[in-house]
Amino acid sequence: MKLKKIIKSAAGGLCGTVLTVSVFAAELPVDLELALGVDVSGSIDEEEARLQRDGYIKAFRHPRVWEAVRHGRRGRIAVVYYEWAGFGHNKTIAKWALIDSRESALAFADQLTKEEPETASRTAIASAIDFGASYFDDNGFKGTRRVIDISGDD
């Protein structure tokens, strides 16, 4: 009986320690938290959707992007990529990733190549912005700036 209490107490203490450590680890300082929201609504055809995605792939593969990140105060950013259309149509393509090197930027670009963009009907830009804003909660990073970059057509 006494042994059970000791084990429970020790386990509780360990859980508290792990939780505390994970809270501190969850706030990695970065220069920028960047949410990339890309329009795949009905006004975007498959060719335009592919063009947008390819632009981001090329950007994260470009040495100037890596150099820009490297020359930031902390030398790292966090980025997530999602596609949006009508109300409730928001799809995460690449989850939050730390970009702090050529290799991490290339890995993020590779995540964007895993599947083809899918267009959907309607347009709800306010929903896309709200979705992007919610991404910053508990994402594991603490940026000096938070940016939602929404792309689309007119």
Side-chain angles (χ1 to χ4, degrees):
M1 187 81 151
K2 205 172 199 182
L3 181 59
K4 281 185 180 180
K5 285 183 180 180
I6 292 170
I7 291 172
K8 283 182 183 178
S9 177
L14 286 175
C15 289
T17 302
V18 171
L19 183 60
T20 302
V21 169
S22 68
V23 167
F24 287 117
E27 293 294 317
L28 179 66
V30 293
D31 293 312
L32 171 69
E33 293 171 74
L34 177 61
L36 299 170
V38 180
D39 184 0
V40 292
S41 66
S43 62
I44 302 288
D45 63 28
E46 288 180 27
E47 184 180 338
E48 290 172 313
R50 183 79 252 164
L51 179 68
Q52 289 183 99
R53 177 91 65 91
D54 286 347
Y56 286 106
I57 292 167
K58 287 177 183 174
F60 281 96
R61 288 180 173 164
H62 199 284
R64 287 186 184 159
V65 171
W66 316 328
E67 286 301 308
V69 170
R70 192 173 70 83
H71 284 96
R73 183 170 168 231
R74 293 187 169 99
R76 59 186 177 246
I77 66 170
V79 63
V80 65
Y81 180 102
Y82 66 99
E83 292 175 340
W84 61 274
F87 180 76
H89 180 90
N90 302 293
K91 182 178 180 183
T92 304
I93 306 301
K95 295 179 180 180
W96 281 107
L98 177 67
I99 309 296
D100 62 354
S101 65
R102 172 185 182 270
E103 293 75 22
S104 59
L106 291 174
F108 186 78
D110 288 347
Q111 283 297 310
L112 301 179
T113 67
K114 301 288 184 195
E115 59 185 84
E116 291 296 314
E118 295 175 19
T119 59
S121 62
R122 307 204 180 250
T123 302
I125 194 166
S127 175
I129 293 168
D130 288 345
F131 186 76
S134 72
Y135 263 126
F136 296 111
D137 298 334
D138 302 319
N139 67 0
F141 301 100
K142 183 163 181 65
T144 55
R145 294 177 297 143
R146 289 179 162 179
V147 174
I148 300 172
D149 182 72
I150 299 288
S151 68
D153 64 351
D154 52 3

